[in-house]
C-alpha cells in the first residue's frame, strides 16, 4: 500500500484588508477593536471584491500548490473542494475550479463540512491515494464569507469573526515512510441548528417564499448565519482536545511529542485555552487568525502553506491538526512531514 503525503501547499488572500476599526468606520457597526481582539484575537480580515468567489480564490491557491508539488493540473486524479460558501447552489465549486485549471475530465467534488471540511477532505484524499485509486489529489478549502455576512450591528456577533481566503494542498502517493498517518472525524447532527445559515427551506413549496409579484423574499433570519457562540466555544474546546488526544493515544504518543499543531482558526482564545490545557508549547501552535479572521475550510491549509513558505516545516516533523465547526463536525489528523 502506498503512503499519502502533502507534496505541495498554496494559499491566497484577496487584497482588501478590513480592520476591526473599518467595521466601525466603513460599515457603521456598533463594535470596537478592543471587543473583537479581547474576545477573539482578530485584528483584521480580508474581503474579496464583488465579482470574486470561492472558485476564483481557490484557483489562486491551487496554482501555488500545484507549482510547489511540481505537477500539472492534468496529472490530477481528483479535485476536492471544501466550502460552505460555494459560488452557486449547484453545481459545486469543484467543477468551476476544474474549468479554471483547464483540466477537463478530472473528477471534481465538493465537501460541505464547514470548519472541519479540510480534515474531512484530507481523510478522503488520503484514502483515495492509499487505496491506489489516485496518485495526486488536489484538496482546496476556500470561502467567500464577506458576501454572506450581515455587516450591520444586528449581525455583529457573527460578522466580526469571518474573512475570505483559500488554501490548497496536493496529496500524492509515495513509497517513503512518511505522510498522513491517521485521521479521526466526528459529527453530531443534533447540534445542526446551533451554527447554520438557512438561506432557503427545501421543505417549503416553493423553497423561498414569493411576494405577490413572484419575486423571492428572504427574511433576515433566513439570509444570515446564526450561531450560539458560547455553546460552540464550549464544544470546540472539548472536541478538539479529545480528538487530538485520541490521535496521540492511537500512536502511543504524548500531545507534547508533536512538533507543530495546526488548529482551526475560529477564535484565538479557544486555541490558547487548548494549548495551555494540553501543556503544548506556545511556539508549536502557530496562528493566522489575527490577520485574516475565521476563514472556515481555509484556516488549516492557509496556515500550513504559510508555515511551509516560512521554512518552519522540516522533513520528519510530527504534525497535528484539529478542527471543529458547524454540524457539529470535528476531527484531528496526525502527519509525519
Ligand atoms: O468556526 C466556527 C466556530 N465558531 C466558533 O468557534 C465561535 C465560538 N464562539 C466564540 O468565539 C464567542 O462566543 C464569540 C466571540 C462569538 C462571542 O463571545 P461571547 O463572550 O460568547 O459574547 P456573547 O455572544 O455572549 O455576547 C456578549 C455581548 C452581547 O451583548 P449583551 O447582550 O450582553 O448586551 C452581544 O450583543 O457582546 C455583544 N456583542 C458584541 N459587542 C461588540 C456580540 N458581538 C459583538 C461585537 N462587538 N462584535
Amino acid at each position: 500500500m502506498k503512503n499519502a503525503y502533502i507534496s505541495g501547499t498554496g494559499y491566497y488572500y484577496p487584497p482588501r484588508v478590513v480592520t476591526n476599526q473599518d467595521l466601525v468606520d466603513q460599515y457603521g457597526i456598533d463594535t470596537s477593536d478592543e471587543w473583537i481582539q479581547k474576545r477573539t484575537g482578530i485584528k483584521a480580515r480580508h474581503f474579496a471584491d464583488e465579482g470574486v468567489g470561492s472558485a476564483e480564490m481557490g484557483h489562486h491557491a491551487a496554482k501555488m500548490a500545484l507549482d510547489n508539488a511540481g505537477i500539472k493540473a492534468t496529472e490530477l486524479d481528483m479535485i476536492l473542494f471544501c466550502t460552505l460558501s460555494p459560488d452557486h447552489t449547484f453545481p459545486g465549486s469543484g467543477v468551476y475550479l476544474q474549468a479554471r485549471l483547464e483540466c477537463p475530465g478530472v473528477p471534481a467534488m465538493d465537501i460541505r463540512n464547514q470548519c472541519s471540511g479540510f480534515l474531512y477532505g484530507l481523510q478522503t484524499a488520503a484514502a483515495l491515494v492509499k487505496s491506489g485509486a489516485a496518485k495526486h489529489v488536489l484538496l482546496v478549502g476556500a470561502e467567500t464569507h464577506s458576501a454572506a455576512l450581515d455587516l450591520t450591528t444586528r449581525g455583529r456577533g457573527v460578522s466580526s469573526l469571518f474573512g475570505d481566503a483559500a488554501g490548497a494542498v496536493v496529496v500524492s502517493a509515495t513509497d517513503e515512510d512518511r505522510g498522513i498517518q491517521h485521521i479521526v472525524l466526528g459529527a453530531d447532527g443534533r447540534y445542526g441548528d446551533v451554527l447554520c445559515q438557512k438561506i432557503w427551506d427545501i421543505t417549503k413549496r416553493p423553497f423561498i417564499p414569493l411576494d405577490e409579484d413572484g419575486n423571492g423574499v428572504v427574511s433576515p433570519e433566513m439570509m444570515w448565519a446564526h450561531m450560539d457562540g458560547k455553546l460552540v466555544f464550549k464544544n470546540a474546546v472539548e472536541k478538539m482536545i479529545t480528538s487530538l488526544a485520541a490521535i496521540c493515544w492511537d500512536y502511543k504518543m504524548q500531545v507534547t511529542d508533536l512538533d507543530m499543531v495546526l488548529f482551526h482558526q475560529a477564535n484565538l482564545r479557544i486555541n490558547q485555552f487548548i494549548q495551555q490545557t494540553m501543556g503544548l508549547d506556545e511556539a508549536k501552535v502557530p496562528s493566522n487568525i489575527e490577520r485574516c479572521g475565521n476563514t472556515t475550510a481555509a484556516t488549516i491549509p492557509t496556515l500550513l502553506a504559510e508555515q511551509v513558505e516560512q521554512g518552519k516545516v522540516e522533513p520528519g516533523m510530527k504534525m497535528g491538526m484539529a478542527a471543529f465547526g458547524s454540524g457539529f463536525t470535528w476531527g484531528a489528523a496526525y502527519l509525519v512531514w
Side-chain angles (χ1 to χ4, degrees):
M1 194 171 77
K2 295 281 183 189
N3 286 321
Y5 80 112
I6 292 179
S7 57
T9 57
Y11 68 93
Y12 177 78
Y13 298 106
R16 189 171 153 228
V17 174
V18 176
T19 65
N20 294 340
Q21 192 56 41
D22 290 336
L23 293 177
V24 180
D25 298 339
Q26 293 176 19
Y27 294 94
I29 300 176
D30 179 12
T31 187
S32 67
D33 182 47
E34 194 204 350
W35 193 98
I36 298 172
Q37 277 207 55
K38 191 169 162 222
R39 294 285 214 297
T40 70
I42 297 166
K43 297 178 183 170
R45 73 285 292 143
H46 294 251
F47 280 179
D49 289 336
E50 184 146 5
V52 175
S54 299
E56 181 172 339
M57 288 192 287
H59 184 214
H60 290 292
K63 278 192 299 187
M64 184 175 166
L66 289 165
D67 282 351
N68 287 343
I71 66 159
K72 297 189 190 74
T74 48
E75 293 176 71
L76 291 169
D77 301 300
M78 176 62 84
I79 295 169
L80 300 174
F81 201 110
C82 313
T83 187
L84 66 67
S85 47
D87 296 65
H88 301 294
T89 313
F90 72 85
S93 290
V95 295
Y96 291 113
L97 172 62
Q98 187 240 45
R100 286 175 180 273
L101 288 169
E102 298 178 354
C103 53
V106 174
M109 70 177 175
D110 280 30
I111 292 183
R112 299 288 304 275
N113 280 70
Q114 303 72 248
C115 302
S116 315
F118 180 75
L119 292 184
Y120 272 75
L122 198 63
Q123 171 83 303
T124 310
L128 286 167
V129 168
K130 289 182 185 188
S131 72
K135 196 169 163 207
H136 299 293
V137 177
L138 173 65
L139 171 60
V140 174
E143 304 288 359
T144 316
H145 286 309
S146 57
L149 294 174
D150 181 3
L151 288 160
T152 68
T153 299
R154 179 183 58 195
R156 66 185 178 177
V158 171
S159 58
S160 52
L161 308 178
F162 291 92
D164 302 340
V169 300
V170 178
V171 177
S172 300
T174 180
D175 291 319
E176 291 172 32
D177 185 17
R178 61 182 294 204
I180 301 157
Q181 308 293 310
H182 191 35
I183 299 179
V184 294
L185 300 173
D188 191 341
R190 291 174 299 174
Y191 296 93
D193 289 350
V194 170
L195 174 48
C196 62
Q197 184 184 16
K198 296 184 170 178
I199 182 69
W200 75 66
D201 184 344
I202 208 74
T203 67
K204 298 272 164 54
R205 308 289 184 269
F207 66 105
I208 290 176
L210 302 180
D211 68 14
E212 53 204 28
D213 297 323
N215 299 314
V217 180
V218 181
S219 62
E221 302 78 56
M222 290 172 71
M223 183 130 177
W224 310 116
H226 294 274
M227 174 171 70
D228 179 341
K230 285 195 186 350
L231 191 59
V232 174
F233 193 113
K234 187 171 154 283
N235 280 273
V237 167
E238 183 195 319
K239 295 298 188 218
M240 286 205 278
I241 287 179
T242 52
S243 41
L244 200 54
I247 288 271
C248 292
W249 173 266
D250 291 345
Y251 275 77
K252 305 285 173 280
M253 279 190 303
Q254 303 291 322
V255 176
T256 47
D257 293 336
L258 295 168
D259 300 306
M260 181 179 279
V261 183
L262 305 181
F263 286 117
H264 170 53
Q265 306 283 297
N267 185 326
L268 191 63
R269 308 301 164 225
I270 292 178
N271 296 350
Q272 286 170 334
F273 184 82
I274 298 172
Q275 171 242 317
Q276 286 158 17
T277 305
M278 299 192 95
L280 276 161
D281 185 346
E282 200 183 336
K284 290 182 176 179
V285 183
S287 65
N288 60 12
I289 190 170
E290 302 91 331
R291 289 179 278 118
C292 60
N294 182 348
T295 61
T296 307
T299 58
I300 294 179
T302 54
L303 189 56
L304 174 63
E306 288 169 349
Q307 296 302 303
V308 170
E309 189 176 53
Q310 291 163 21
K312 292 184 180 154
V313 185
E314 307 272 350
M317 211 175 206
K318 293 178 180 171
M319 185 182 286
M321 296 175 176
F324 177 89
S326 160
F328 291 148
T329 59
W330 61 88
Y334 169 50
L335 296 79
V336 176
W337 198 257

